[in-house]
Structures are given as C-alpha cells and as structure tokens.
C-alpha cells in the first residue's frame, strides 16, 4: 500500500485544536520554505531543476511537503495515485476548499512553475491563522504527482488518474526513456501501482479547487497588478511524428540515393512554425530522438514530438492537420514514410464562471486572462469547480532557469490566496 502518515485530524472548524495553534507559531515562513526547497533537484551545470516523477529528487520534494504538513499540525495522507494531501478540518465532512499545485519539473525547468503554488498555499494558511479567521469548511493543500510529464511523456498523471481521465492500463503502459514503466518506478519508490485509478470518493469531498501559479507569459507584466485570475486554458495536445528512412553511410551514399528522415523532420519543424504563425496558434517541436544516432550515419528513424495549442479546438485541429500534411508531402519527396500518433489531448477548459467571478470580486477586480499552459486545475475542472490565480512574471519566461517572479509579487500572491481561501471557507 502507499506509505502515508497522518497527524490527528482537526475538528470541523479546524482551529480549535491546541496543537494547531502551537504548530502554526513554529511553522516555517515563506522565505524559509523557499530556501529549503530550492536546492532539491537543482542541476549545478544548468541551474535548472530535474525533479522527475518517482526519482530521488521527487522523494525529497515529497518529504519536504510532509514536513510542512507536520510543522503545522495538519493531517497528512497520500492517496491511491501518489498525490499528497495536508488537511485542516475533517476530510470526510465534504465541501472542502483545496489549494496547491505540483513540485515536479520539466528538464532543467525553473524554480517557480508548480512550487510557487505549493509554498504559497502553506504560507496562505499561515496568514489565515494569523488573521484569526475561522473556516466553516475543511481546507486542504495538495501536491499532485507528475504534473509536467517529463519522465513518462504524459502531463498531469496524478490528477488525470484521480479524475478518471487516465485508465490504470494506460498508466501501467507508460515508460520512460530507459524503458522503466510507471508501475515499476512507483513500486521502487515504495508505492503500490496496483492501487492507482479513478478516485471519485475523494473528489466528492471537494467543493472548490484553487491553484496559484506563476504566470507563463507577460499579460500582467505591463499592468499595475501582481495577481490575475485565469479565465480559460487553451486546448492543447502532444503528437509523435515518426519519420522512417533508410540508414546508410554518410560518406559514401550519394545525395540522390538517400532516404534521409532528418531532412523531412527539419522541414516539418519549419512548416510547424509557419502554420502556427498564420493561424495565431502555437506549435513546438521540443523533443527529438534519432536512430542509430551516429555522426557518420544517415538516420533510419527520426522521432519528433509536437506540442501544439490554440485558442479553440477547431483552429488547433486545423493547424496539426496542416503540419501533418506538410510532413507527408515532404516525406514523399525524400522517400521517407511519415506516421503521426496523438499521445495526449486536452480540450478547452473554461473555469467555473461562478467561482472565477467570485475570485475576481474577492480580489477587487484584478485582470482575468486566458493561458496556453495546461495545469492540474484544468484536468479537475471537468469534475469539480476549479479556478486559478497567476502571479506576475516580468520576463514571461517559463520552463527555464530564467523563470522568475519578484519577492513582492510572490508575497502579494500569498495574500491574494489567503483572501480567496478566507472568502470561500470562512464566510
């Protein structure tokens, strides 16, 4: 079974327990939490983070989360899918207000994407306690597992499993670059892969989920607002393009005799940029593998992964179809066979309008803006009311060590999240 440890749950009001007050007095501050989390999984050469699911860095992040729950006297548990929960109030009471995000990263990712939401959640809870606020609904903080999909190629695995959007069979079939399956990785980390699957009972406890996240763009950069509210998430997906050619010698094979899949791949990358720009969409080939991957060998297979996003599903479908057509046409010229497989797709997410508008009202009319990035809140939106807060990112850079947010804006995000939690759970 999944390892879990729990403190004694608080009463329904969540604040009456003496151990909670004592724990809150000694809970680490935002700065202390950020300092302690910062070294975990950081690569000394790139300065970026490599916190991949079910690795040592992931285990250290999970231990950090459990320690934060313990320092505040929160009831800690791990669900069947490996997601971590810290509860204030009775988890079984229902209509809970949940916040949180994720702690894993993309390869050489930045410090803020995911962790800012988790750290801010604990800090917002501390701020509520300092205000003397008394909730009439349970509160919880969650760390969803494998949100980025860096190791197994599928984003939001923890929340997809919980919401029933990923079957146990498909999850067990996921493998990393070394051929290790998700099930094997979980088992090695001490978790039970046979227990994973949809968790409707847990979701039935939740009345609202609010995720705080660093902005992945510059919509807030030129405004006086440190915080914004999400309106929607663009539809997005991942497609694998397999370009099958013929391996041969780089020094002896005439140009006219080659069936070089690298040429077809390169042309497809350029076509993707053009098609997306003309449609006002986004298309990125950010991952590629080559066989046999020799300097003096013509490749037999080039495999590239396309990430594409657009404001609506019709535009997205049209752009991907045009990219595939361009690949096939160029492949015909190059003697290369092209095969395209859709590996994941998330339709447009319209966050619950009532909850979204309530957040904007609680925060005094902050900007409401869409995003092209996927999130656990987007996955859960189909089964529970969800909303998101964004913290200003002055450069707009994300999924990079250059990702940033100012200290003042981060603390403004904590206050905004505390205001939201107080408005939802204490009135």
């Amino acid at each position: 079974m999944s390892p879990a440890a729990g403190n004694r749950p608080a009463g329904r009001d969540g604040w009456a327990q003496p151990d909670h007050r004592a724990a809150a007095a000694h809970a680490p501050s935002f700065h202390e939490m950020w300092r302690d989390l910062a070294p975990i999984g950081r690569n000394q050469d790139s300065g970026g983070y490599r916190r991949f699911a079910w690795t040592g860095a992931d285990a250290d992040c999970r231990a950090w989360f459990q320690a934060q729950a313990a320092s505040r006297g929160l009831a800690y548990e791990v669900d069947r899918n490996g997601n971590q929960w810290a509860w204030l109030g009775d988890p079984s009471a229902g209509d809970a207000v949940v916040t949180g995000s994720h702690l894993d990263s993309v390869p050489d990712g930045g410090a803020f994407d995911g962790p800012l939401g988790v750290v801010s959640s604990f800090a917002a809870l501390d701020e509520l306690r300092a205000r003397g606020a008394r909730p009439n609904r349970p509160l919880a903080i969650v760390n969803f597992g494998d949100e980025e999909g860096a190791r197994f190629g599928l984003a939001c695995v923890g929340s997809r499993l919980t919401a029933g959007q990923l079957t146990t069979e498909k999850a067990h079939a996921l493998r990393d670059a070394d051929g290790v399956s998700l099930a094997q990785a979980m088992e090695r980390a001490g978790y039970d892969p046979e227990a994973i699957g949809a968790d409707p009972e847990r979701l039935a406890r939740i009345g609202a989920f609010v995720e705080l996240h660093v902005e992945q763009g510059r919509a807030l950069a030129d405004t006086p607002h440190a915080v914004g509210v999400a309106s929607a998430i663009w539809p997005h997906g991942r497609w694998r393009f397999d370009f099958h050619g013929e391996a041969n010698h780089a020094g002896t094979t005439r140009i006219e005799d080659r069936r070089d899949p690298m040429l077809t791949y390169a042309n497809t990358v350029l076509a993707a940029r053009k098609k997306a720009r003309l449609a006002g969409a986004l298309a990125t080939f950010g991952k590629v593998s080559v066989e046999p991957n020799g300097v003096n060998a013509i490749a037999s297979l080039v495999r590239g992964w396309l990430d594409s996003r657009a404001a609506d599903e019709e535009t997205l479908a049209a752009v991907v179809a045009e990219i595939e057509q361009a690949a096939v046409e160029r492949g015909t010229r190059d003697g290369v066979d092209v095969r395209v497989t859709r590996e994941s797709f998330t339709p447009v997410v319209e966050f619950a309008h009532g909850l979204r508008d309530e957040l904007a009202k609680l925060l005094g009319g902050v900007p409401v803006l869409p995003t092209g990035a996927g999130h656990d809140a987007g996955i859960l939106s189909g089964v529970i009311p969800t909303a998101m807060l964004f913290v200003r990112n002055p450069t707009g850079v994300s999924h990079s060590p250059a990702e940033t947010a100012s200290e003042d804006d981060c603390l403004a995000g904590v206050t905004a999240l505390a205001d939201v939690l107080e408005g939802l759970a204490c009135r």
Side-chain angles (χ1 to χ4, degrees), residues 44-356:
Q44 296 303 314
D45 295 328
S46 70
Y49 288 88
R50 300 178 182 179
R51 297 168 173 163
F52 306 145
W54 310 116
T55 63
D58 183 55
D60 290 344
C61 286
R62 297 170 71 82
W64 174 91
F65 183 96
Q66 184 173 356
Q68 297 308 315
S71 72
R72 293 165 173 82
L74 305 178
Y76 171 79
E77 61 177 340
V78 180
D79 68 23
R80 63 191 300 178
N81 297 309
N83 305 310
Q84 294 177 287
W85 300 78
W87 286 91
L88 183 67
D90 181 3
S92 65
D95 201 30
V97 177
V98 179
T99 187
S101 191
H102 63 95
L103 294 174
D104 66 313
S105 76
V106 298
D108 289 323
F112 293 81
D113 181 349
L116 180 62
V118 178
V119 172
S120 297
S121 295
F122 282 114
L125 182 60
D126 296 341
E127 185 166 328
L128 280 186
R129 285 172 152 167
R131 296 176 185 179
R134 292 182 174 273
N136 50 39
R137 301 166 67 177
L139 286 169
I141 298 170
V142 61
N143 168 36
F144 283 109
D146 200 6
E147 192 270 356
E148 295 290 7
R151 183 175 180 185
F152 298 102
L154 178 65
C156 300
V157 170
S159 56
R160 285 183 192 273
L161 282 167
T162 300
Q165 295 186 17
L166 174 63
T167 65
T168 302
E169 293 73 22
K170 289 184 178 179
H172 282 180
L174 294 174
R175 280 172 169 72
D176 67 11
D178 296 320
V180 178
S181 71
L182 173 65
Q184 290 171 324
M186 289 186 70
E187 193 166 29
R188 292 173 185 175
Y191 293 80
D192 181 8
E194 298 305 318
I196 65 175
D199 200 347
E201 295 85 1
R202 180 171 298 274
L203 293 175
R205 303 176 185 175
I206 302 172
F209 174 62
V210 179
E211 180 175 4
L212 178 144
H213 204 280
V214 68
E215 184 189 5
Q216 295 170 292
R218 297 191 69 256
L220 293 172
D222 298 323
T223 77
H225 299 279
V227 178
V229 174
S231 60
I233 298 176
W234 281 14
H236 54 280
R238 297 179 181 184
W239 289 261
R240 189 185 77 239
F241 281 62
D242 294 335
F243 303 90
H244 294 267
E246 182 179 53
N248 217 325
H249 196 294
T252 62
T253 309
R254 298 187 310 166
I255 291 294
E256 56 267 31
D257 292 338
R258 300 185 179 202
R259 295 176 53 221
D260 188 350
M262 190 65 76
L263 294 178
T264 314
Y265 167 71
N267 186 81
T268 304
V269 173
L270 296 175
R273 172 64 179 266
K274 179 179 179 180
K275 304 300 184 184
R277 179 174 55 81
L278 292 175
L282 299 169
T284 306
F285 278 96
K287 179 180 178 181
V288 61
S289 68
V290 181
E291 297 177 11
N293 205 27
V295 175
N296 60 347
I298 299 167
S300 61
L301 170 65
V302 175
R303 179 168 286 144
W305 281 264
L306 170 70
D307 177 301
S308 191
R309 307 165 190 242
D312 58 79
E313 294 176 29
E314 292 75 14
T315 300
L316 177 59
V319 167
V320 174
E322 290 175 359
I323 296 171
E324 180 175 356
Q325 181 180 357
V328 170
E329 290 177 354
R330 178 68 194 210
T332 300
R333 290 174 53 189
D334 296 333
V336 171
D337 180 53
V338 178
R339 303 171 193 173
V340 180
T341 304
R342 189 177 80 175
E343 293 193 337
S344 69
F345 177 76
T346 302
V348 64
V349 172
E350 286 282 349
F351 288 111
H353 289 191
L355 182 60
R356 178 198 65 194

